[in-house]
Amino acid sequence: MSRAGRIRSETVAASRAFLRRRTAVFFTFFFPVIIILIFGALVQTQPTGGGVFAEPAAYYVPGYLAVVVLFTPLSRVGSEVARHREGARFEKLATTPLSRAEWLFAQTLVNVGIIGLAAVLIFGLVVGVTGADIAVSAATVLVVPFVLLGVALFCGFGAVIGSLADSQDGVIAASNGIALPLLFLSETFVSPGLLPEWLPLWLSPLTYFARGVRAVTYAGAPPDPFGLGPVGNLAALGVLAVAFFAVGSVALPRTD
C-alpha cells in the first residue's frame, strides 16, 4: 500500500473512532458555543467601560477560534496517544508499514476536519451573538491556513503530552494546565496593554495565530510589534507547526 493509501485508511479509521464517541463529538462543538455565549454577553455589557472586555466584539474573534484550535487537538491527540499506549497499540503499529509520522498526520487531518466545521460555527455565532463587524477582504481567506497550521501545531504538542503523561487523566490535566495559561496570555482575550510588560508573549505560538487572524478579520487591529503582518505571522506559525509536528512524531513511542 502506498503512503497516501496508508494515511487515508488511518484517517478513515480515526474519523469513525471519533464519531463513535458521541460525548466527545458533543463537547467539541458545545464548549466553544458556551464560551461565545458567556464572553459575548460580557463583551456586549462592557463595550467601552475599560477592563478585559473593553475592545469591540471583532477584536475577540481570534480568541474564540483559539478555543477549538488549542484545546481540541491537545486533548484529542493526547488522549488518543494515551489510549494507544494503554492498549499496546503502538507495539502492534510497529509491525505495520504505517510510520509514526503518517499516524500523526492522519490524526491531524481528522482534527482539521472537525475544527474546520467548528470554526465555521464559531464565525456564525460570533456575528449572530456578539454582532461582531468582521472585516471582509481578500486577506480574510488567510484564516483558513491559520487554522490549519494551528491545528497541526497543537496536534504535535498533544502527541508529546500523550507520550509523556502516565494516563489519560494525566493527559487531560496536563492539556488544561498548558492550554488555559496560553489562551489568556497570547493576545486572544486579554490585550497586551493589560498584562505586565515583562511577560514574553512572543514565546507562545498561539500569539502568532491571534495576531495574524486579528489582522485579517478586525479593521482596528493594533500594529504588529514585530512588524510581521498577516503573512509574516502565518510564516512564523508555519515554522512552529513543522517543528512541533516533527517533535511529536519523534516522541511517539515505538513500543508500549
Side-chain angles (χ1 to χ4, degrees), residues 33 43 53 55 75 79 88-89 91 101 107-108 126 135 145 152 163 177 194 213 227 233 242:
V33 170
V43 170
F53 296 104
E55 302 290 343
S75 60
S79 297
R89 297 179 190 175
E91 190 168 305
Q107 299 296 324
T108 301
V126 166
S163 300
L194 298 177
V213 172
N233 280 296
V242 171

Side-chain angles (χ1 to χ4, degrees), residues 5-246:
R6 294 194 298 270
I7 293 174
R8 182 172 58 251
S9 297
E10 181 61 29
T11 301
V12 171
S15 300
R16 291 174 177 173
F18 170 72
L19 293 175
R20 284 196 294 268
R21 302 186 188 103
R22 296 181 181 179
T23 302
V25 175
F26 176 76
F27 280 101
T28 295
F29 294 94
F30 181 71
F31 182 57
V33 170
I34 290 297
I35 294 294
I36 291 172
L37 292 177
I38 294 174
F39 284 13
L42 290 173
V43 170
Q44 288 180 342
T45 56
Q46 222 179 12
T48 58
V52 176
F53 296 104
E55 302 290 343
Y59 178 90
Y60 303 102
V61 169
Y64 297 130
L65 289 176
V67 171
V68 288
V69 169
L70 173 62
F71 280 88
T72 303
L74 279 184
S75 60
R76 284 203 68 254
V77 174
S79 297
E80 194 67 21
V81 172
R83 277 193 292 270
H84 272 58
R85 290 175 59 196
E86 292 172 2
R89 297 179 190 175
F90 282 114
E91 190 168 305
K92 299 173 183 176
L93 185 65
T95 65
T96 72
L98 188 71
S99 68
R100 291 175 295 172
E102 291 169 350
W103 182 89
L104 183 55
F105 187 71
Q107 299 296 324
T108 301
L109 289 178
V110 174
N111 279 273
V112 165
I114 295 167
I115 295 167
L117 291 174
V120 173
L121 174 63
I122 287 171
F123 261 105
L125 285 173
V126 166
V127 173
V129 173
T130 70
D133 184 13
I134 306 295
V136 178
S137 66
T140 309
V141 74
L142 290 178
V143 171
V144 175
F146 269 112
V147 170
L148 190 154
L149 291 174
V151 171
L153 190 156
F154 290 109
C155 280
F157 203 161
V160 173
I161 294 173
S163 300
L164 298 177
D166 56 2
S167 65
Q168 291 187 52
D169 290 339
V171 168
I172 298 301
S175 297
N176 290 335
I178 292 170
L180 282 173
L182 282 181
L183 183 63
F184 292 100
L185 298 177
S186 302
E187 300 187 18
T188 49
F189 292 108
V190 182
S191 60
L194 298 177
L195 297 170
E197 293 184 3
W198 53 264
L199 276 177
L201 302 182
W202 57 271
L203 286 177
S204 168
L206 196 63
T207 296
Y208 302 99
F209 174 86
R211 288 175 179 172
V213 172
R214 182 170 292 118
V216 299
T217 59
Y218 175 43
D224 190 299
F226 294 158
L228 294 178
V231 176
N233 280 296
L234 184 63
L237 188 67
V239 171
L240 291 171
V242 171
F244 273 84
F245 185 89

